[in-house]
Amino acid sequence: MTGAGKTTFISKVTGRTDLEIGHSLTSCTRDIQVIETKIDGQTVSFVDTPGFSDTHMSDTEVLQLIADYLAAAYKRDMKLSGIIYLHPISDTRVTHHATKNLQMFQKLTGEKNLKNVVLTTSMWDKVTPEEGTAREKELKDKFWRVLLAFEAKAVRYAGTTESAQRLVSQMLADNKPFYLQLQEEMGKDNKALRDTAAGREVMVELERLKKEHRREVKEMEDLLRNSAEENRNVVEALKEHYHGRLVELEKTLRDERTMNEEAVRSLRERIEDLESRGRCAVM
Ligand SMILES: Nc1nc2c(ncn2[C@@H]2O[C@H](COP(=O)(O)OP(=O)(O)OP(=O)(O)O)[C@@H](O)[C@H]2O)c(=O)[nH]1
Ligand SMILES: [Mg+2]
């Protein structure tokens, strides 16, 4: 989730003080950043990503950014050693966003890789031990239950460099390098992003959003038509709201178009790839 403390964790574990950490309510990391450090004599690369439910980027844009990075890594035979999923224990509720986020995460990773995931709770300094322990139990019993059943691990992160390094060392010792499901779907099975499990999740959400925005726009149009004679302030406020809804609808349509264009591009690449292989065979 956005603001969970991903960049702060990487800053602690690598000792880097120049990373962009968000201190406002809006999301901070807008691109993929790779930060290297040495742990137990090994070079470790941390890949910092924006979170889903970001305030600046739609889930489609976030997924595309992550997919581009993962596809490039796949082409260079670069595997992952593990995934750290951060959850602030100070969050009083697991929102609809957080649940959706976990679903996306599961589809992107693939069930068979969940054993390489560490569900990490951060921000323990913001809660009393009792509060934290009760929330942790709820997470494990309810929201993380499926992930834990697939052997994901749940770990507390104390907010210190030592705690972060211990977590990473354990991960390096336990895990065998692997490809994410999204990488296999795109790299091995040649699927377009919208046809992968994570992509399908985004497409379903786009369809839902499109319907919702269209309904809202229609409602606003009806309201505006009927309130033409009303107070000017009301009409102005309605118009502004109407405009906002239109912008949202346009954004959703644009996301849908981008996913479809990527699918066409990926199909074209597959055809070119087949043709070039054909030529090689003839030669
Ligand atoms: N109290 C407390 N604050 C923390 C902790 N970890 C992170 N923060 C604060 O939480 C805010 C968000 O941290 P970031 O590291 O930017 O979070 P992020 O997950 O990278 O956020 P995005 O890049 O926006 O997705 C910052 O103000 C941090 O200083 C922690 O363990 N305890
Ligand atoms: Mg960040």
Side-chain angles (χ1 to χ4, degrees):
M1 283 296 281
T2 186
K6 301 179 289 294
T7 307
T8 306
F9 180 93
I10 296 178
S11 156
K12 286 272 182 213
V13 81
T14 58
R16 287 271 295 264
T17 50
D18 55 335
L19 307 177
E20 259 191 83
I21 291 168
H23 291 288
S24 68
L25 285 177
T26 52
S27 308
C28 184
T29 305
R30 292 194 203 181
D31 209 341
I32 303 260
Q33 262 197 100
V34 182
I35 300 112
E36 277 191 2
T37 193
K38 282 230 176 237
I39 294 179
D40 303 337
Q42 287 187 65
T43 303
V44 183
S45 302
F46 288 91
V47 185
D48 190 7
T49 70
F52 290 103
S53 305
D54 188 285
T55 34
H56 301 291
M57 280 191 285
S58 64
D59 284 356
T60 311
E61 289 167 318
V62 173
L63 180 64
Q64 253 165 355
L65 205 63
I66 295 178
D68 283 347
Y69 172 80
L70 290 173
Y74 187 87
K75 282 206 178 120
R76 291 166 54 198
D77 301 325
M78 254 169 66
K79 291 183 173 173
L80 291 181
S81 297
I83 304 181
I84 302 168
Y85 183 96
L86 275 172
H87 178 95
I89 200 70
S90 49
D91 274 7
T92 47
R93 293 215 165 81
V94 177
T95 58
H96 160 70
H97 276 319
T99 318
K100 197 171 69 139
N101 201 18
L102 268 182
Q103 248 166 13
M104 276 292 296
F105 177 74
Q106 196 173 326
K107 299 257 150 99
L108 195 135
T109 310
E111 279 80 17
K112 72 175 190 313
N113 296 317
L114 289 173
K115 59 180 182 300
N116 300 313
V117 170
V118 181
L119 300 165
T120 309
T121 41
S122 59
M123 310 210 185
W124 281 87
D125 57 313
K126 284 187 163 178
V127 296
T128 63
E130 295 74 33
E131 261 173 342
T133 307
R135 276 188 210 143
E136 185 184 44
K137 183 172 173 348
E138 201 185 351
L139 283 170
K140 286 184 180 171
D141 290 350
K142 204 164 149 194
F143 300 100
W144 290 354
R145 193 148 171 212
V146 173
L147 301 168
L148 293 172
F150 279 107
E151 293 177 54
K153 289 155 198 92
V155 169
R156 290 183 189 189
Y157 163 53
T160 61
T161 299
E162 299 70 53
S163 169
Q165 289 191 343
R166 207 165 38 243
L167 194 154
V168 174
S169 295
Q170 191 66 46
M171 192 173 224
L172 292 174
D174 288 349
N175 297 357
K176 273 216 295 285
F178 63 100
Y179 287 123
L180 290 182
Q181 178 171 316
L182 186 82
Q183 290 178 299
E184 290 187 332
E185 285 176 298
M186 292 183 81
K188 204 164 80 195
D189 308 335
N190 273 321
K191 281 187 184 169
L193 182 57
R194 71 162 188 203
D195 300 323
T196 62
R200 278 204 303 271
E201 193 84 358
V202 160
M203 293 306 281
V204 169
E205 180 65 10
L206 283 177
E207 200 53 43
R208 192 189 66 75
L209 280 175
K210 217 166 61 179
K211 276 203 191 109
E212 189 180 309
H213 294 326
R214 284 209 168 113
R215 183 184 50 74
E216 284 170 348
V217 165
K218 167 94 181 40
E219 266 176 25
M220 290 308 297
E221 281 170 354
D222 290 346
L223 254 177
L224 267 169
R225 207 173 298 122
N226 294 333
S227 55
E229 302 296 315
E230 305 257 337
N231 173 329
R232 257 191 64 195
N233 276 343
V234 174
V235 174
E236 280 309 306
L238 282 176
K239 272 192 182 156
E240 204 169 296
H241 192 67
Y242 174 64
H243 182 71
R245 299 293 86 202
L246 272 183
V247 169
E248 286 298 312
L249 175 60
E250 274 165 20
K251 196 158 168 256
T252 306
L253 293 173
R254 202 165 52 237
D255 278 345
E256 192 183 38
R257 214 164 37 238
T258 316
M259 290 293 269
N260 289 332
E261 280 166 6
E262 192 271 345
V264 173
R265 222 174 26 249
S266 132
L267 180 65
R268 207 178 297 131
E269 275 167 21
R270 261 180 286 161
I271 293 173
E272 278 167 14
D273 188 38
L274 273 178
E275 282 178 350
S276 73
R277 269 194 250 165
R279 273 202 294 281
C280 288
V282 171
M283 276 155 60

